[in-house]
Amino acid sequence: MAAGTFKGGIHPYEGKELAMDKSTTLLLPKGDLVYPMSQHIGNPAKSIVAKGDKVLVGQKIGEADGAISACIISSVSGTVKAVEPRLTVAGTMVESVVVENDNAYTQVEGFGVERDYTSLKKEQIRSIIKEAGIVGMGGAGFPTHIKLTPKNDSAIEYLIINGSECEPFLTSDYRMMLEETNRLIKGIKITLRLFENAKAIIAVEDNKPEAINALTHALRNENKIELKVIKTKYPQGAERVLIYAITGRKMNSTMLPSDVGCIVNNVDTMISVCRAVAENTPLIKRVITVSGDAVKNPGNFIVLTGTNYSELAEAAGGFRAKPAKLISGGPMMGLALYSLDIPVTKTSSALLAFTVDEVAEMAEGPCIRCGRCVAVCPGRVVPQKLMEYAERSDNKSFEALNGMECCDCGCCSYICPAGRHLTQAFKQTKKSILNERKQS
């Protein structure tokens, strides 16, 4: 077993104290709900409703379309106002179903009815997870039913539950580990039924003692689930990094975790599996952290998918000062926002607001060859050299120097004393290389 850490990484200001002790509160939407048909990796879902249709809580409004896709479920009851392109967190226009909430929250038949998961076969569990629209809720959004369907079930030795939450300011997973401990463990037990040779390991960073204590107590009688306390360091929660920290097994960008006998799932994903399989409740809500020094009352909110981001800010008391920077997700890998008129999706984890935009205020200078980017890179590549190729659009050399192994964690950009926009350049170059591969 590995030592619970990895080579490289950084220790940015955590900022978790702003919201970590704030219990989750339910936020019911006030305006229309907007459901983008693309809330996951892979093909967008196909809308199966039309303007004027009546929908219910828990009703499927988007059908998974293609080999890699996920269903979209309505989180409210009401009337479909439109099926049209709407702005999303990524800044793109995506076909979306717009629902006018009737505030009755009338549910589909059978919604919330408990189910004996121990009587279900593997294919039934996977089908329920698919129909519930569950995806990786740590940010990647990979359809969970596909992740839980490897080539060989018996080859899976470790089900790793990612509770590290290494991004600064984010505390939603932390609150879930405290408040939904039983559902988390039940979700893990359900998933373990798919892999007869696997044991589960919940990985939690050592800066979360209350979560560690709660899980230790809850797992005292479990023999196939254990807790692994890992070192607090960013990006400890990155899939490849976490697998190495827990098992010592190495993988690269061409491999899947199942290739090294592992399946990795986020805490919230496992809780969603419990709700879907044991409680007949599809993925229609998630916990979101609203934090940052520009927020009046940072906190953690249970939010229905489709809710407008502006309502998140309002629920946290609004802003104490005009934000210079808005981010969806964490400050390291999240996406900067220019508008709050966007919907919460399955992969939304946080809304952060800051009074200072440190990145914009830092002047970019020439590389001074200090080597700090190399020292902190968890992918063990050479960012300084990759930047030279990226700036010259030399995709061939970038790829030859293992540039595709970059995990977009942002450690190199964070540590660079010259303020170079390394991660952004690498993202663009990798995107260009992938486009070239598709065309060849």
Side-chain angles (χ1 to χ4, degrees), residues 145-211:
H145 68 281
I146 298 174
K147 181 179 284 191
L148 297 182
T149 312
K151 294 178 181 178
N152 183 2
D153 292 348
S154 61
I156 301 303
E157 300 174 70
Y158 295 103
L159 172 64
I160 300 174
I161 312 305
N162 185 359
S164 61
E165 198 166 46
C166 59
E167 274 269 14
F169 294 93
L170 273 59
T171 57
S172 55
D173 282 350
Y174 172 72
R175 293 309 313 178
M176 296 293 270
M177 286 186 282
L178 291 178
E179 299 177 27
E180 296 282 10
T181 313
N182 292 336
R183 277 197 176 101
L184 169 60
I185 294 172
K186 185 179 286 188
I188 295 170
K189 287 182 176 180
I190 291 169
T191 307
L192 281 174
R193 294 181 64 83
L194 304 175
F195 309 109
E196 57 271 16
N197 297 326
K199 66 180 293 186
I201 299 176
I202 306 174
V204 183
E205 286 188 324
D206 57 16
N207 65 346
K208 302 174 179 64
E210 288 192 27

Side-chain angles (χ1 to χ4, degrees), residues 6-9 372-383 406 409 411-412:
F6 61 98
K7 294 180 181 179
R372 295 182 189 179
C373 59
V374 180
V376 301
C377 178
R380 317 313 297 159
V381 297
V382 185
C406 169
C409 68
C411 287
C412 54

Side-chain angles (χ1 to χ4, degrees), residues 56-73:
L56 303 175
V57 175
Q59 179 179 331
K60 188 194 303 183
I61 57 177
E63 184 74 65
D65 187 25
I68 301 178
S69 188
C71 299
I72 308 296
I73 313 296

Side-chain angles (χ1 to χ4, degrees), residues 393-422:
S393 298
D394 186 350
N395 291 357
K396 187 174 182 180
S397 296
F398 182 94
E399 194 169 5
L401 202 62
N402 296 318
M404 300 304 285
E405 296 306 308
C406 169
C407 66
D408 301 333
C409 68
C411 287
C412 54
S413 296
Y414 175 86
I415 207 70
C416 179
R420 309 207 80 203
H421 300 161
L422 300 161

Side-chain angles (χ1 to χ4, degrees), residues 333-398:
M333 295 186 71
L335 297 173
L337 303 174
Y338 64 86
S339 171
L340 289 180
D341 187 18
I342 50 176
V344 168
T345 65
K346 301 172 187 179
T347 57
S348 302
S349 58
L351 170 61
L352 305 181
F354 300 105
T355 56
V356 177
D357 186 344
E358 296 181 10
V359 175
E361 292 191 358
M362 180 180 289
E364 186 174 11
C367 176
I368 61 173
R369 304 294 194 273
C370 65
R372 295 182 189 179
C373 59
V374 180
V376 301
C377 178
R380 317 313 297 159
V381 297
V382 185
Q384 172 260 322
K385 197 67 180 176
L386 291 175
M387 188 62 168
E388 292 182 16
Y389 297 140
E391 289 180 320
R392 296 203 302 262
S393 298
D394 186 350
N395 291 357
K396 187 174 182 180
S397 296
F398 182 94

Side-chain angles (χ1 to χ4, degrees), residues 260 269 332 401:
V260 291
T269 306
M332 297 302 298
L401 202 62

